[in-house]
Amino acid sequence: MHNNVTVLLSTFNGEKYLKEQLHSLYTQETVDLSILVRDDGSTDRTCAILDEEQSAGRLSWYNGENKGPALSFWELLYKAPESSYYSFCDQDDVWDKDKLETAVKILSKSAGKPALYFCQTRLVNSELKEIESVKISPLLTYEESLIYHFITGCTIVINNELRKELLKYTPDFMRMHDVWIYLVAQAVGADIHFDSTPHISYRQHGNNVIGQEHSIIGIWKGRIKRIRKNECIRSRLAQELLKGYSNILDTEKRELAIAVAHYKKSITSWIKLLFNRKLTCKPVAIRISSRIAILAKIF
């Protein structure tokens, strides 16, 4: 079994936790590991740490202008060397020793076909003490991916077949790389593997660029903020999907993407979207808020 994995790590002012995260990568079991790092314009000692690790032969890194996490990770995906698998990595977590081994064993069942693996996260505080985690239970459907953004990028491992599909099109609007990668995976019919067992301690702290909000109040504050900003994230992502992959979507997927992308322009699409029973997910709050967003034309 080919088990060479390239870990894609984007750093930004991560000196506080970076060494601990890197150590957890070095101790991954049974896989042939290489690490490619892009620094997103750090001003602390992050680059000095990366220099030390590169000099020791443990990773390769380069720096670039500050693009934010989504575009930084996307550039890494483009510049990565040929590998059987690719894993996305944040700078401040700690991985279990079996994280990549587990992913590779599962993904190897999808040989020759695009595939994506992700797992449940174990939330921890800055001192790695476990805190209450959000337990996801996704339906793993294309329809769900159009309305519910639940995937956490640092748990994602993809195979080279899916990478090739992803590199066919770079969207103008992405927001976060993990949501886009998962949406494309569903759209192209990739094998999707969800592991309900956590294999990562996902650190929550004051300096997180992107964190996982785990309080009900915090979750709803975020939703209200997005509604007020009228970002229309889901319809904009569907527009990008059609730009890049319309020619390979089957008829049903294409028609639904068109309805999501252009529901404001067509009363037929708007009604179709509003009453589409497949456009659903398990969390009741998401089902309700998505229908409100469609009604208010901010979906």
Side-chain angles (χ1 to χ4, degrees), residues 5-8 32-36 58-59 81 83:
V5 182
T6 297
V7 172
L8 306 176
D32 180 9
L33 183 71
S34 61
I35 302 169
L36 178 63
R58 290 190 280 262
L59 56 78
S83 185

Side-chain angles (χ1 to χ4, degrees), residues 184-230:
V184 172
Q186 286 286 2
V188 302
D191 286 345
I192 308 291
H193 305 278
F194 170 61
D195 185 350
S196 59
T197 301
H199 298 278
I200 176 175
S201 292
Y202 187 39
R203 196 186 318 246
Q204 306 294 287
H205 58 90
N207 295 327
N208 282 49
V209 176
I210 299 292
Q212 188 177 87
E213 178 57 66
H214 55 278
S215 71
I216 297 298
I217 293 174
I219 289 169
W220 275 103
K221 278 183 178 178
R223 288 173 187 153
I224 292 168
K225 182 180 180 181
R226 289 190 291 272
I227 288 171
R228 284 178 175 172
K229 288 177 72 176
N230 194 20

Side-chain angles (χ1 to χ4, degrees), residues 31 35 44 55 89 107 114 174 184 201 254 261 280 297:
V31 297
I35 302 169
D44 65 358
S55 296
C89 179
L107 286 169
M174 190 186 309
V184 172
S201 292
R254 187 184 306 110
T280 190
K297 296 190 174 181

Side-chain angles (χ1 to χ4, degrees), residues 62-248:
Y62 69 99
N63 54 18
E65 62 178 302
N66 184 263
K67 295 183 173 184
L71 293 179
S72 185
F73 275 114
W74 198 254
E75 184 180 308
L76 278 166
L77 191 63
Y78 261 92
K79 292 195 172 186
E82 192 78 8
S83 185
S84 299
Y85 306 99
Y86 301 85
S87 180
F88 298 89
C89 179
D90 292 344
Q91 65 187 2
D92 45 14
D93 303 321
V94 173
W95 289 10
D96 296 356
K97 291 181 179 181
D98 68 344
K99 181 180 185 294
L100 293 179
E101 177 186 44
T102 301
V104 167
K105 282 182 178 178
I106 292 173
L107 286 169
S108 66
K109 300 173 185 176
S110 300
K113 182 178 180 181
L116 177 150
Y117 163 96
F118 69 108
C119 69
Q120 173 69 51
T121 55
R122 178 194 311 114
L123 294 190
V124 296
N125 64 17
S126 59
E127 304 302 319
L128 296 181
K129 292 184 179 179
E130 191 166 353
I131 58 179
E132 184 180 357
S133 297
V134 177
K135 301 294 184 183
I136 60 172
S137 184
L139 301 174
L140 303 181
T141 64
Y142 167 72
E143 292 83 3
E144 178 191 51
S145 71
L146 289 167
I147 68 167
Y148 181 27
H149 300 159
F150 52 82
I151 196 164
T152 305
C154 55
T155 72
I156 292 176
V157 184
I158 64 172
N159 63 5
N160 193 38
E161 287 77 11
L162 181 55
R163 176 179 180 253
K164 290 175 182 177
E165 294 295 329
L166 290 165
L167 296 188
K168 289 178 180 178
Y169 177 70
T170 296
D172 294 318
F173 174 77
M174 190 186 309
R175 190 165 181 263
M176 278 307 293
H177 62 290
D178 46 14
V179 171
W180 175 250
I181 288 168
Y182 182 74
L183 178 60
V184 172
Q186 286 286 2
V188 302
D191 286 345
I192 308 291
H193 305 278
F194 170 61
D195 185 350
S196 59
T197 301
H199 298 278
I200 176 175
S201 292
Y202 187 39
R203 196 186 318 246
Q204 306 294 287
H205 58 90
N207 295 327
N208 282 49
V209 176
I210 299 292
Q212 188 177 87
E213 178 57 66
H214 55 278
S215 71
I216 297 298
I217 293 174
I219 289 169
W220 275 103
K221 278 183 178 178
R223 288 173 187 153
I224 292 168
K225 182 180 180 181
R226 289 190 291 272
I227 288 171
R228 284 178 175 172
K229 288 177 72 176
N230 194 20
E231 290 181 304
C232 299
I233 292 166
R234 288 167 286 200
S235 57
R236 291 172 71 184
L237 286 173
Q239 291 166 25
E240 294 290 353
L241 190 65
L242 289 168
K243 288 178 188 176
Y245 297 94
S246 182
N247 62 323
I248 62 174

